[in-house]
Amino acid sequence: MTRSRSHTHETGVALPALLWVPAGFAFALIALPVVGLAVRADWLRLPELLLSTSALDALRLSLETAAISTTLCILLGGPLATVLARGRLGGLRLLRSVVLLPLVLPPVVGGLALLFLLGRTGLLGRGIDVWFGVTIPFTTAAVVLAQTFVALPFLVVSMEGALRTAGQRYEAVAATLGASPSYAFRRVTVPLVLPGLASGAVLAFARCLGEFGATIAFAGSLQGTTRTLPLLVYLERESDVDAAVALSLLLVVVAVVVIAVARPRGVEGLR
Amino acid sequence: MSGLAARIVVRRPSFTLEVDVAAQPGEVLAVLGPNGAGKSTLLGVLAGLLRPDDGTVRLGDRIVTGDGVHVPPHRRGVGLLAQQAMLFPHLTALANVAFGPRAQGVARQEAEERARELLAAVDVAELADRRPAQMSGGQQQRVALARALAPGPELLLLDEPLAALDVDSAPAMRSLLRRVVKDRKQTAVLVTHSALDALVLADRVVVLTGGSVVESGPAREVLARPRSPFTARIAGLDLVPGEACADGLRTADGLVVAGLSAGLRDGESAVAVFPPSAVAVYNSRPEGSPRNVVPVRLAAIEPHGDVVRLRAAAVAGGPAWVDGLAADVTPAAVADLGAEPGVELWFAVKATEVQVHAAG
């Protein structure tokens, strides 16, 4: 493994000294708020605050919906990334820009857009309501849809990059060995881009876990059904700051665990 | 075993490839040519990875490319071994070789059995459980050869298979290719820059320059008597056919051409190869270290870039195999020798300049 290689004897090229100052500020900007959170926390009340019914409900809901949304991202985003990277259609570039939309759109706008599409009077929502008697907004399904909406680009971008890096040379070799396109996709393409897929999935999961704007606009904030951890943090901030801080720390811990599990290839997947 | 017959036209902005190539069943056809001559395009069309603008590719009695027909690569039965081994990095050597048979629906156990046999045939049976990252370049190329043979291709394409190997592993890979491709009568098309590869591996040679075939024929003839400037530059080798022996090569008339013949069996059909630049020319029989000294009659004097190529013919009563041998000398040397067609000269070659290769 290249990781274990020693760098003690490499001198390399020196960094410009000036870079250290802004780099230090940037790091502080990311790390210090978390420290501030930890300092502010009421550690004695922490177990009680975290084990409250509302907190446990929110944690369970957050983990469940994020897991389902990430799975949806893989099942839908993986094929989409493959089409974008390998397809030979006109207009794919336009399609790619559209796929990036949730990345740049304010999440709350995304949530409103979902509401106007799938709400009871929405473009598709009306039909779904009339034909199937199903209402999507303000249900757990809406939470999942909102999370999938915002997280999909992370998976698509990450996997499309991996597909482009891998190139099509291995698929060409597979074809000369008699492998049909679908066999080559399963046995060659997917294993080759698995690291990219994994890092995309981790990013998507983290994005789902932190999702707030689209969820509150499209799914509301009902305990046990649509009130995920970020929504609960926002709600508690008004009434019980200690609880909000405790829950925030919980989100920090979950995020750190995600990074730890995904390391090294997940979050640092660009190497 | 099927033969290949292809007539291909590919028009590109920079050049047009227009060739006619054929290989009999079990024959190895070498395609020689400079960079940009269209060799890779030709292979791409044969493999089905490129569509020609016009033309037909016939494999056995199947048309795989032609009027409105384009059989996709995975249904052609055309294998490919390229410069880079391109082993699937996530699979072991065994799984790489078993990949083709598995893709065609052969049961796992049977596919792995076949893979083990092929790994043994290319002398890397012990690497079965290694991944590509744990193998040397030469080992990877051997596994890649086994992988290309595993599905039992009707036609094997060899795209400069030795070009990326270091000088130590190329000769071993060359004799391996000879053993598993040529001796097993695998129909193949070999693209190469190297006259030696063509000589050792191919039955016939076509020379491609600027998108068209400028020369074709039996490998030994084309390479010993090049007619196009390109062939002359890369080939133009002196070739002496015969049988391998301990000191080098024994010709049909019993004379021994001293040379380096590592790894050949006594009596094996072989050819001694040396560059015309290694031949020294004398007016009278020289006394000295060169082991190979033969009398010749000067048949022709050909200008050849900065040097002059002296073409030999047999002298009465002398060895017949000197006919056609070439020696490159400077224009000044031609004047000193007083060389003109018809005079008798002596050609001398050091044994260390002579390589003896299995051939024929």
Side-chain angles (χ1 to χ4, degrees):
Chain A
M1 290 279 111
T2 49
R3 268 194 168 263
S4 59
R5 193 187 299 157
S6 163
H7 290 284
T8 16
H9 300 293
E10 283 181 21
T11 55
V13 179
L15 285 175
L18 216 54
L19 289 186
W20 287 96
V21 178
F25 275 116
F27 182 77
L29 188 58
I30 293 171
L32 285 185
V34 180
V35 175
L37 208 56
V39 170
R40 173 62 183 77
D42 185 346
W43 293 90
L44 287 176
R45 275 186 70 208
L46 208 59
E48 171 207 335
L49 291 169
L50 291 181
L51 293 174
S52 72
T53 322
S54 63
L56 287 178
D57 275 354
L59 177 65
R60 181 188 50 77
L61 184 67
S62 268
L63 291 176
E64 279 175 8
T65 51
I68 296 170
S69 303
T70 305
T71 309
L72 273 179
C73 280
I74 294 171
L75 294 180
L76 302 176
L80 177 57
T82 312
V83 168
L84 287 178
R86 298 286 153 85
R88 269 171 273 173
L89 284 171
L92 275 184
R93 286 174 69 173
L94 184 70
L95 208 63
R96 187 176 300 116
S97 324
V98 174
V99 169
L100 295 181
L101 210 54
L103 217 51
V104 288
L105 209 61
V108 67
V109 176
L112 281 181
L114 282 170
L115 192 59
F116 293 133
L117 179 73
L118 296 168
R120 291 182 76 157
T121 55
L123 195 60
L124 293 178
R126 187 198 305 264
I128 295 172
D129 194 30
V130 171
W131 295 103
F132 303 103
V134 174
T135 318
I136 295 173
F138 310 106
T139 63
T140 306
V143 177
V144 168
L145 276 176
Q147 290 179 351
T148 308
F149 175 82
V150 295
L152 206 47
F154 287 89
L155 190 120
V156 172
V157 167
S158 168
M159 186 166 160
E160 195 194 341
L163 281 164
R164 288 188 183 279
T165 310
Q168 281 184 279
R169 302 183 309 156
Y170 286 109
E171 279 113 329
V173 170
T176 66
L177 293 169
S180 66
S182 68
Y183 189 84
F185 182 76
R186 274 183 293 127
R187 293 287 315 276
V188 178
T189 314
V190 171
L192 283 179
V193 300
L194 213 51
L197 183 64
S199 77
V202 168
L203 288 175
F205 184 79
R207 181 68 189 83
C208 289
L209 216 52
E211 177 20 56
F212 177 82
T215 310
I216 203 157
F218 184 45
S221 177
L222 308 169
Q223 184 180 343
T225 312
T226 70
R227 188 178 295 156
T228 56
L229 266 182
L231 269 63
L232 183 60
V233 169
Y234 190 76
L235 192 74
E236 294 284 20
R237 195 187 58 98
E238 307 277 320
S239 54
D240 183 352
V241 178
D242 284 341
V245 170
L247 293 168
S248 300
L249 276 176
L250 179 60
L251 273 174
V252 170
V253 169
V254 173
V256 168
V257 167
V258 166
I259 292 174
V261 167
R263 241 176 36 99
R265 291 207 285 191
V267 172
E268 299 169 26
L270 294 178
R271 298 195 160 181
Chain B
M1 201 57 68
S2 343
L4 162 77
R7 188 182 60 76
I8 291 163
V9 181
V10 179
R11 293 186 196 91
R12 288 279 162 84
S14 51
F15 82 119
T16 299
L17 174 73
E18 191 160 5
V19 293
D20 221 327
V21 292
Q24 299 298 314
E27 189 179 57
V28 179
L29 174 74
V31 179
L32 282 167
N35 287 331
K39 301 180 305 242
S40 302
T41 309
L42 171 65
L43 286 196
V45 170
L46 295 181
L49 299 169
L50 293 174
R51 274 172 196 262
D53 290 295
D54 193 11
T56 320
V57 176
R58 190 189 294 272
L59 261 185
D61 46 16
R62 275 193 310 155
I63 291 184
V64 292
T65 295
D67 296 321
V69 180
H70 180 82
V71 177
H74 65 277
R75 297 215 190 91
R76 286 199 172 209
V78 175
L80 175 67
L81 178 66
Q83 215 176 96
Q84 308 294 334
M86 297 287 296
L87 295 179
F88 302 127
H90 57 291
L91 298 179
T92 62
L94 187 73
N96 262 284
V97 179
F99 183 91
R102 292 284 292 143
Q104 291 168 345
V106 175
R108 174 187 293 271
Q109 203 173 358
E110 195 188 331
E112 291 191 347
E113 225 163 85
R114 197 190 298 179
R116 277 186 204 286
E117 282 167 23
L118 279 162
L119 283 175
V122 298
D123 305 331
V124 287
E126 73 281 6
L127 302 180
D129 297 325
R130 294 228 197 139
R131 283 176 199 269
Q134 303 165 302
M135 293 183 234
S136 74
Q139 291 171 334
Q140 290 189 27
Q141 195 65 332
R142 282 165 184 260
V143 175
L145 173 61
R147 180 178 66 172
L149 292 169
E154 288 185 54
L155 173 68
L156 181 63
L157 305 176
L158 303 163
D159 188 0
E160 308 219 20
L162 305 174
L165 297 183
D166 57 53
V167 286
D168 292 328
S169 38
M173 185 73 195
R174 190 181 295 118
S175 47
L176 174 69
L177 277 169
R178 184 178 161 82
R179 202 172 78 217
V180 301
V181 175
K182 192 156 184 233
D183 293 355
R184 285 190 184 187
K185 296 283 173 209
Q186 167 73 53
T187 314
V189 173
L190 164 74
V191 158
T192 180
H193 269 106
S194 152
L196 183 59
D197 292 351
L199 187 69
V200 172
L201 299 174
D203 300 290
R204 281 188 320 111
V205 170
V206 299
V207 180
L208 208 57
T209 325
S212 42
V213 173
V214 292
E215 241 179 296
S216 70
R220 217 181 274 180
E221 262 173 46
V222 171
L223 294 169
R225 301 283 185 84
R227 295 194 317 261
S228 76
F230 169 76
T231 329
R233 200 166 62 249
I234 66 150
L237 294 170
D238 284 318
L239 308 178
V240 180
E243 291 176 350
C245 67
D247 293 328
L249 173 125
R250 180 173 288 109
T251 61
D253 54 16
L255 278 175
V256 170
V257 176
L260 309 171
S261 62
L264 295 185
R265 281 175 289 109
D266 266 15
E268 190 176 352
S269 171
V271 57
V273 184
F274 47 93
S277 57
V279 180
V281 184
Y282 300 90
N283 275 320
S284 55
R285 187 186 175 94
E287 301 291 326
S289 70
R291 304 279 311 283
N292 302 303
V293 178
V294 288
V296 301
R297 185 170 57 77
L298 186 56
I301 301 177
E302 305 156 0
H304 196 75
D306 294 340
V307 298
V308 175
R309 178 159 291 180
L310 303 181
R311 193 63 80 171
V315 294
W321 47 264
V322 303
D323 197 48
L325 289 188
D328 286 350
V329 295
T330 59
V334 177
D336 288 351
L337 288 166
E340 57 185 67
V343 303
E344 287 194 10
L345 297 169
W346 293 80
F347 276 15
V349 191
K350 290 174 63 169
T352 51
E353 299 281 356
V354 179
Q355 299 281 341
V356 179
H357 295 281

